[in-house]
């Protein structure tokens, strides 16, 4: 009887968390700015931490989270998260979730849009802080955007999205303590272009904010574990199940979301993922990571770099492939 009661309680808890995720989805679907205060207060803890997809997009506390959501609702695309295939684990009053989804962008082919492309190119030519090779890269990138034009006034694109987070239960209500938005790597990641003075200043401001964050619970033990993970798992060819068990909880059927937005479930799939992608190099910025704890559960919010070496020949092949996709698509 005790096991049945425990199982039913777990089912009920997960059902409540799904309701919170659905409210989150409804907010991002409606995008009603007048309701943003009620949305944030209902769904987020006072000291919530949200990490966005861009450089410098770390938001701490309700006011900063609110500013992120207002910006998302005004300027980001249409988000849709997969509520049917959410992974939910919980330990008493702590739950952690992960799911996939997409962001739909709509582009309009207007005269103003193409004038903005032209102005961008002119400004990059005159910019003195970047090298000629970087200028050419930027310009080719903008020309590629222009080449996507169609006779229709609007074009729609779907970008894959991942959403993960931690929820805490307080006074019988689940609320987000942490959310992490991420977009899988592309053949030409935007991060390659984010080396401007503005982006660097934004990232430095984020780090200064973390240094002043009073709720950071980073310890030597956690920092050592993360450094060891970088060296022993990422970029290694020969990985044993025993080594995987050092970093993943075996009895909870561990999972990760791959860089291509696909799930790896269980030790064997996780082991295969790291072994196949042994040309990656991961460097986490642990001096500016945030560690949070509640009861027996600890979670980490950190930025870093994931490097993959690509030869110029391989890059040219990728570019030709992208051009081929364009030419074969419905240009009319």
């Amino acid at each position: 009887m005790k096991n049945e009661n425990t199982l039913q309680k777990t089912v009920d808890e997960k059902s409540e968390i799904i309701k919170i995720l659905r409210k989150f989805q409804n907010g991002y679907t409606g995008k009603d700015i007048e309701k943003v205060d009620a949305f944030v207060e209902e769904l987020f803890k006072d000291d919530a931490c949200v990490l966005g997809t861009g450089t410098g997009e770390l938001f701490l506390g309700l006011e900063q989270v609110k500013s992120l959501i207002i910006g998302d609702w005004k300027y980001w695309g249409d988000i849709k998260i997969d509520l049917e295939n959410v992974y939910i684990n919980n330990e008493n009053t702590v739950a952690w979730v992960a799911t996939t989804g997409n962001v739909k962008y709509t582009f309009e082919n207007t005269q103003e849009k193409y004038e903005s492309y032209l102005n961008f190119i002119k400004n990059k030519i005159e910019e003195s802080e970047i090298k000629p090779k970087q200028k050419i890269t930027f310009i080719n990138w903008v020309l590629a955007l222009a080449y996507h034009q169609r006779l229709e006034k609007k074009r729609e694109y779907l970008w894959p999205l991942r959403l993960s987070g931690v929820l805490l239960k307080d006074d019988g209500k689940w609320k987000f303590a942490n959310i992490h938005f991420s977009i899988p790597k592309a053949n030409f990641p935007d991060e390659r272009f984010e080396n401007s003075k503005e982006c660097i200043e934004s990232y430095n401001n984020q780090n200064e904010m973390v240094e002043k964050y009073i709720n950071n619970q980073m310890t030597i033990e956690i920092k050592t574990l993360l450094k060891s993970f970088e060296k022993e798992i990422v970029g290694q060819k020969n990985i044993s199940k025993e080594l995987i068990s050092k970093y993943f909880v075996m009895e909870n059927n561990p999972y990760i979301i791959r860089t291509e937005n696909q799930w790896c479930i269980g030790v064997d799939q996780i082991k295969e993922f790291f072994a196949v992608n042994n040309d990656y190099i991961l460097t986490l910025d642990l001096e500016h990571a945030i560690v949070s704890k509640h009861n027996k559960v600890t979670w980490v919010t950190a930025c870093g770099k994931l490097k993959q070496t690509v030869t110029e020949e391989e890059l040219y092949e990728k570019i030709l492939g992208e051009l081929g996709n364009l030419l074969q698509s419905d240009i009319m």
Side-chain angles (χ1 to χ4, degrees):
M1 180 66 69
K2 183 177 180 180
N3 289 339
E4 291 180 0
N5 290 338
T6 301
L7 180 61
Q8 183 59 46
K9 183 179 179 181
T10 301
V11 171
D12 292 342
E13 298 281 16
K14 290 185 177 181
S15 177
E16 290 180 22
I17 293 168
I18 289 292
K19 289 180 181 178
I20 296 297
L21 291 171
R22 186 165 284 111
K23 288 182 179 180
F24 180 85
Q25 172 67 78
N26 291 341
Y28 267 80
T29 300
K31 300 181 180 182
D32 189 342
I33 302 298
E34 293 183 358
K35 296 181 180 179
V36 71
D37 288 320
F39 177 82
V40 171
E41 290 174 7
E42 180 182 9
L43 298 185
F44 290 88
K45 300 282 291 180
D46 290 346
D47 59 349
C49 170
V50 178
L51 186 62
T53 61
T55 300
E57 288 195 350
L58 177 66
F59 301 86
L60 302 175
L62 285 186
E63 287 305 312
Q64 290 190 18
V65 170
K66 188 189 303 181
S67 69
L68 164 70
I69 292 171
I70 290 173
D72 283 352
W73 290 2
K74 283 184 176 180
Y75 308 114
W76 210 16
D78 298 326
I79 290 179
K80 184 175 183 180
I81 58 176
D82 185 354
L83 296 175
E84 301 299 323
N85 299 287
V86 183
Y87 278 77
I88 301 173
N89 298 87
N90 72 288
E91 178 74 27
N92 297 321
T93 56
V94 186
W96 51 103
V97 301
T99 189
T100 59
N102 59 64
V103 184
K104 183 173 73 173
Y105 285 89
T106 301
F107 294 92
E108 294 191 53
N109 301 325
T110 63
Q111 184 64 31
E112 291 78 11
K113 176 66 68 176
Y114 294 112
E115 287 179 359
S116 71
Y117 289 160
L118 184 60
N119 289 331
F120 181 92
I121 292 172
K122 290 178 179 178
N123 291 335
K124 284 301 171 187
I125 291 174
E126 298 173 357
E127 191 170 335
S128 60
E129 295 182 352
I130 59 176
K131 299 177 181 178
K133 189 173 183 178
Q134 291 174 307
K135 291 183 180 183
I136 293 172
T137 302
F138 273 114
I139 292 169
N140 282 337
W141 174 55
V142 172
L143 290 175
L145 293 177
Y147 191 55
H148 276 77
Q149 66 177 298
R150 298 293 183 267
L151 294 181
E152 292 84 2
K153 288 293 183 181
K154 293 184 178 182
R155 293 169 286 131
E156 293 184 347
Y157 295 90
L158 287 180
W159 271 261
L161 176 73
R162 295 174 293 205
L163 178 73
S164 58
V166 177
L167 298 95
L168 302 181
K169 193 171 189 178
D170 189 20
D171 291 333
K173 296 181 179 179
W174 287 101
K175 291 187 176 184
F176 285 106
N178 173 277
I179 284 183
H180 180 200
F181 295 98
S182 60
I183 293 177
K185 77 174 184 68
N187 287 335
F188 311 100
D190 289 343
E191 287 78 2
R192 172 67 64 187
F193 305 126
E194 293 189 356
N195 54 7
S196 67
K197 182 179 179 180
E198 181 182 355
C199 288
I200 292 172
E201 288 179 350
S202 175
Y203 186 68
N204 289 337
N205 290 337
Q206 171 184 298
N207 288 342
E208 289 178 7
M209 183 172 62
V210 172
E211 290 172 357
K212 298 175 183 177
Y213 187 60
I214 61 175
N215 294 329
N216 198 345
Q217 301 180 63
M218 174 67 81
T219 64
I220 295 297
E221 181 183 10
I222 294 173
K223 186 176 290 188
T224 301
L225 179 69
L226 293 172
K227 286 183 177 179
S228 178
F229 177 80
E230 288 179 348
K231 295 178 180 179
E232 293 187 339
I233 296 290
V234 182
Q236 301 301 317
K237 293 182 180 180
N238 301 314
I239 302 175
S240 64
K241 288 185 178 181
E242 289 73 23
L243 190 58
I244 293 292
S245 67
K246 179 179 177 180
Y247 300 99
F248 293 86
V249 180
M250 308 289 275
E251 59 266 26
N252 278 354
N253 197 25
Y255 58 84
I256 62 174
I257 305 178
R258 290 169 40 173
T259 49
E260 300 86 1
N261 221 37
Q262 297 176 346
W263 293 94
C264 288
I265 303 169
V267 174
D268 289 333
Q269 290 187 15
I270 292 174
K271 175 176 174 292
E272 180 184 3
F273 166 74
F274 284 113
V276 169
N277 295 284
N278 59 74
D279 57 343
Y280 289 137
I281 299 175
L282 175 66
T283 306
L284 294 172
D285 184 0
L286 298 179
E287 298 305 316
H288 300 100
I290 293 177
V291 174
S292 305
K293 296 181 181 180
H294 188 82
N295 295 336
K296 297 180 180 180
V297 180
T298 300
W299 59 98
V300 180
T301 302
C303 296
K305 295 179 181 179
L306 184 65
K307 290 185 178 181
Q308 183 183 29
T309 301
V310 180
T311 66
E312 286 196 359
E313 190 65 31
E314 290 171 334
L315 187 59
Y316 296 149
E317 290 294 332
K318 287 178 180 292
I319 294 172
L320 290 173
E322 293 293 332
L323 289 173
N325 290 335
L326 278 174
L327 293 172
Q328 293 175 17
S329 62
D330 183 9
I331 295 179
M332 299 303 292

